[in-house]
Amino acid sequence: MTYPCFFDCGEPGDSTKRKLYLNVADGFYHCKVCGVSGGSWMLQKHFGDEPRVGSNDDAFMRRRILDSAAQVGITMLTNNDDALLYLLNERGLSAETIAARKLGFVAGGWSLVGQLPEDVTAAQIMTTGLVTREGPHAGKDFFYRHLLIPYLARGHVIQMRGRAWGDIKGGKYLTGPGEPPRVYNSESLDGADEVIITEGEFDCMILAQVLAVAPEERARRIAVISLPGTNAIPEELEDVLAAAKRIFIGFDNDEPGKKAAESLKERLGTRARVL
């Protein structure tokens, strides 16, 4: 919901720019003019109310931390030619796509968490998927020598994924500890009748980039989303695809990809086709 901002915007009282955006699901608010932001707890305090029992700003703090981490990653990426050239040349992403997707990088010897705002607590960081939660490395950076892939919602980061850079033991693509699998680029579904589901975020980015400048209007209107893996189907997938009239499944053209595509086609029903 939007309201005329009741904070100090410095705009005339009748200015249409004074818009305070409020997410009624979690109480997160933000004004693009004065920059004020917060959650339900801070909103109650602003009006002189005693915050209700159980209310807090956990959702706001999580977004704030992830937004800050993404900005640190962007700065690191702009200072690493090898990572930038990989995205530009090997992945075929444009500079505009890299910027719009808020892609980042964490180089060896650098701490992403160490660059976060000083007032952020260790307990708050623990809820974001940016640090290891258990074992001898609990509280330490989870993303170390990774390309950072933020999952965005209305311009804010709601989850961070990483693509290993160089020779690292374990999986190449990683989701932070305690984080559920999510649909990448789900906002592209707004108003779209057709959608293509890809296997992995980079396939989603390059396909969306190509379709955005296609000569055919139909192609430009196709939404593109991705799954974090063929074995990591988000619980909300059916809900996310509820309004789509036609679904194309474009997984990798290998045996595991073909098998996973057929399985997902059966799950989604008659609207689905395998590319």
Side-chain angles (χ1 to χ4, degrees):
M1 301 181 70
T2 59
Y3 296 89
C5 182
F6 37 74
F7 293 95
D8 185 17
C9 272
E11 288 281 329
D14 59 350
S15 173
T16 57
K17 294 181 180 179
R18 300 176 62 219
K19 287 185 178 179
L20 187 77
Y21 294 84
L22 172 65
N23 186 321
V24 296
D26 57 23
F28 177 79
Y29 62 86
H30 176 70
C31 176
K32 297 184 181 298
V33 176
C34 64
V36 66
S37 59
S40 59
W41 191 92
M42 294 172 64
L43 197 60
Q44 291 172 78
K45 294 292 286 186
H46 172 77
F47 284 106
D49 298 327
E50 190 62 31
R52 296 169 184 161
V53 175
S55 66
N56 55 57
D57 276 352
D58 288 350
F60 163 66
M61 287 304 301
R62 175 185 163 88
R63 291 190 189 187
R64 181 187 172 206
I65 293 169
L66 287 171
D67 283 343
S68 296
Q71 191 57 52
V72 172
I74 291 170
T75 302
M76 289 190 187
L77 178 62
T78 58
N79 289 297
N80 190 291
D81 291 342
D82 289 340
L84 267 176
L85 290 174
Y86 168 81
L87 294 174
L88 291 166
N89 297 335
E90 294 190 42
R91 285 295 179 176
L93 301 178
S94 67
E96 292 77 13
T97 295
I98 294 171
R101 303 291 180 180
K102 297 188 177 182
L103 299 181
F105 182 68
V106 182
W110 287 87
S111 170
L112 182 66
V113 173
Q115 305 298 315
L116 295 176
E118 293 182 358
D119 61 333
V120 173
T121 68
Q124 290 168 338
I125 297 175
M126 197 70 73
T127 68
T128 62
L130 295 177
V131 294
T132 302
R133 300 175 71 175
E134 299 176 348
H137 299 293
K140 303 295 183 181
D141 285 71
F142 182 76
F143 298 108
Y144 178 78
R145 295 181 65 196
H146 280 85
L147 287 165
L148 299 177
I149 308 170
Y151 277 48
L152 306 175
R154 293 175 175 81
H156 291 281
V157 182
I158 59 173
Q159 186 179 60
M160 191 73 75
R161 288 250 297 162
R163 194 266 189 195
W165 182 257
D167 297 327
I168 292 181
K169 295 180 180 179
K172 183 177 288 187
Y173 289 87
L174 298 174
T175 302
E179 292 292 295
R182 299 176 188 261
V183 175
Y184 182 74
N185 200 36
S186 60
E187 288 188 331
S188 69
L189 290 161
D190 292 344
D193 291 331
E194 297 179 302
V195 57
I196 298 174
I197 305 176
T198 66
E199 181 181 338
E201 297 89 356
F202 284 120
D203 282 358
C204 176
M205 291 180 218
I206 189 64
L207 181 55
Q209 177 180 292
V210 171
L211 291 179
V213 294
E216 301 87 358
E217 181 181 359
R218 176 189 174 188
R220 295 194 299 271
R221 294 173 60 185
I222 297 175
V224 185
I225 63 174
S226 74
L227 307 181
T230 56
N231 294 319
I233 308 298
E235 291 183 0
E236 73 273 15
L237 181 61
E238 281 85 356
D239 292 337
V240 168
L241 295 171
K245 296 179 180 178
R246 188 170 297 157
I247 302 167
F248 299 101
I249 303 169
F251 289 168
D252 291 350
N253 194 31
D254 52 19
E255 285 306 314
K258 292 177 181 178
K259 184 176 179 180
E262 288 295 337
S263 177
L264 185 58
K265 176 176 178 274
E266 293 181 9
R267 174 172 172 172
L268 296 176
T270 57
R271 295 179 297 163
R273 301 286 186 276
V274 176
L275 290 176

